[in-house]
Amino acid sequence: MPTATKKRVTINQIAQIAGTSKTTVSFYLNGHTDRMSRETLERIKQAISETGYEPSPLARSMNAKQTFLIGVVVGDIANHFSNQIVKGIDSVANAAGYRLLISSSNFDRDNEHALIDRLMAVGVDGFIVQPTARFREVADALSNSGKHLVFFDSKYYDYTASWVKTDNYEATRDAISTCLDRGYERALVVAAKPQLLSSRTERLKGCIDTLGDRGVKFSQFVIPDNGVPTEKLTHWLHEQLDESTVPTLVFAPNCWALPDVYVAMRDFYPRMPHEIGLLGFDNTDWASVASPSVSVVAQPAFEEGVQAAKILLDLIGGKGEIDPHQILPCKVQWGASTR
């Protein structure tokens, strides 16, 4: 038998059940309850509880001049890091009566621009964004719209905004220092250009500063803006490693590039971890079950999402109770790819 479609409960039905007017219920839903009796409040609350009523975001926007929608733009929706970020955001937003409109830029600036334009057209109350390296080109539009914006994963050095990120510099230094202590004497760095993203800048600088302090030589492969050229990277790795007898650590600080770097290193799996090591960022879902498993610096993605949502809701509410700039600590998930 076909399943009956569940009808949406209306504000009129809530008013009838509670024995009050539609206007009174509307006031209740928008927080204007200072003149209501305790009995009226309880009747409306009970009616909502019994029916499972959820107010329409569009209806709420007409009454409160808000959509109760948050636009979330992540770099790659298929990435485990992004999934955990979104879950963290939703855990806070949902409890506050907000819903998420989630988009994936695929780290493409033009795509990111188009997504933000569409979200602005919908009328979201604010944005939580994992910025691309060229986000500055669309930042002015957001600023002029008056919409609040919170960055996650990275702050943007050329744009004043609220953000939540991790201790990329310190975490990178600690992880690489540990690897050097375990016997690696040389390093290969496979990384994208930092441009204006703090996560890229801090991880690369943390790596180079640590290697410099320890007197460790390194070579670098620069990943172009259009992604990892796996064949070219594989050739470069063979040039660097085939004849080398020096224990070498390969560091891949860009989480989106680590899967491709791992594939490019396939021929070197038998030499891990004693002759060759691999250290990356995030990708904790597959890094632990790969063979060999991969050592990664893991960001607290869920907590980043939680804090980003709290910052944005605080900004929307004009409360000023939450620090709009937050740094969270990382931890290392050690695998078989390093000593």
Side-chain angles (χ1 to χ4, degrees):
M1 293 179 64
T3 302
T5 302
K6 183 179 179 181
K7 293 185 178 180
R8 185 181 184 91
V9 179
T10 67
I11 192 171
N12 285 327
Q13 290 172 301
I14 296 298
Q16 291 174 4
I17 295 171
T20 186
S21 68
K22 175 183 174 181
T23 301
T24 300
V25 175
S26 180
F27 283 155
Y28 175 90
L29 293 173
N30 289 289
H32 305 306
T33 59
D34 51 316
R35 296 184 180 181
M36 292 185 195
S37 69
R38 181 175 298 179
E39 291 181 355
T40 300
L41 289 171
E42 288 300 322
R43 289 202 308 272
I44 296 174
K45 181 178 179 181
Q46 184 175 352
I48 290 173
S49 177
E50 290 176 351
T51 60
Y53 171 77
E54 291 187 7
S56 161
L58 180 58
R60 293 185 70 178
S61 69
M62 292 173 65
N63 291 323
K65 296 184 180 179
Q66 286 181 272
T67 61
F68 288 86
L69 295 172
I70 293 174
V72 180
V73 180
V74 301
D76 180 5
I77 195 63
N79 186 280
H80 181 68
F81 173 76
S82 295
N83 290 334
Q84 292 301 305
I85 283 281
V86 170
K87 287 182 179 180
I89 294 171
D90 189 58
S91 69
V92 174
N94 186 52
Y98 284 78
R99 296 293 181 264
L100 308 183
L101 295 182
I102 305 165
S103 301
S104 179
S105 71
N106 298 317
F107 297 103
D108 180 85
R109 187 265 306 177
D110 293 331
N111 191 32
E112 176 185 64
H113 197 166
L115 291 171
I116 289 175
D117 281 346
R118 291 172 186 173
L119 290 170
M120 287 179 64
V122 171
V124 297
D125 294 334
F127 288 86
I128 298 177
V129 177
Q130 181 181 18
T132 65
R134 298 170 65 187
F135 184 82
R136 187 66 180 86
E137 296 179 22
V138 297
D140 286 341
L142 277 179
S143 178
N144 293 335
S145 73
K147 300 294 184 181
H148 293 290
L149 166 67
V150 177
F151 289 129
F152 72 87
D153 184 46
S154 185
K155 63 181 180 180
Y156 201 80
Y157 284 122
D158 195 33
Y159 185 69
T160 302
S162 303
W163 46 261
V164 55
K165 57 182 285 297
T166 56
D167 60 342
N168 290 289
Y169 179 82
E170 295 81 3
T172 299
R173 293 207 61 157
D174 290 345
I176 290 182
S177 291
T178 299
C179 289
L180 298 179
D181 290 342
R182 294 176 178 177
Y184 294 106
E185 301 174 14
R186 175 174 171 246
L188 300 179
V189 182
V190 181
K193 294 179 181 178
Q195 296 180 304
L196 293 174
L197 293 179
S198 66
S199 58
R200 294 187 185 184
T201 299
E202 292 164 0
R203 293 173 193 176
L204 188 58
K205 181 171 175 53
C207 172
I208 293 175
D209 286 354
T210 304
L211 297 175
D213 291 346
R214 302 285 286 266
V216 175
K217 295 181 179 180
F218 73 95
S219 298
Q220 184 173 350
F221 182 94
V222 178
I223 300 173
D225 292 340
N226 60 351
V228 181
T230 306
E231 185 176 340
K232 185 176 180 181
L233 173 59
T234 301
H235 179 72
W236 181 80
L237 288 168
H238 277 282
E239 286 184 333
Q240 297 291 326
L241 297 170
D242 281 351
E243 304 299 325
S244 175
T245 59
V246 179
T248 302
L249 176 69
V250 178
F251 178 52
N254 306 113
C255 62
W256 50 269
L258 181 59
D260 292 319
V261 176
Y262 185 70
V263 170
M265 294 187 68
R266 183 187 294 111
D267 294 340
F268 304 104
Y269 296 167
R271 297 174 62 184
M272 292 180 179
H274 297 291
E275 297 177 36
I276 298 171
L278 173 62
L279 174 67
F281 255 82
D282 296 319
N283 294 279
T284 55
D285 52 337
W286 65 263
S288 61
V289 297
S291 182
S293 57
V294 185
S295 294
V296 291
V297 180
Q299 300 183 92
F302 183 87
E303 183 60 23
E304 277 193 67
V306 167
Q307 295 305 318
K310 287 183 177 180
I311 292 172
L312 181 61
L313 294 182
D314 182 76
L315 291 171
I316 291 173
K319 297 178 181 179
E321 297 174 353
I322 298 178
D323 186 349
H325 306 120
Q326 297 190 29
I327 302 175
L328 306 178
C330 297
K331 64 179 181 180
V332 181
Q333 176 179 292
W334 294 107
S337 67
T338 57
R339 296 184 180 191

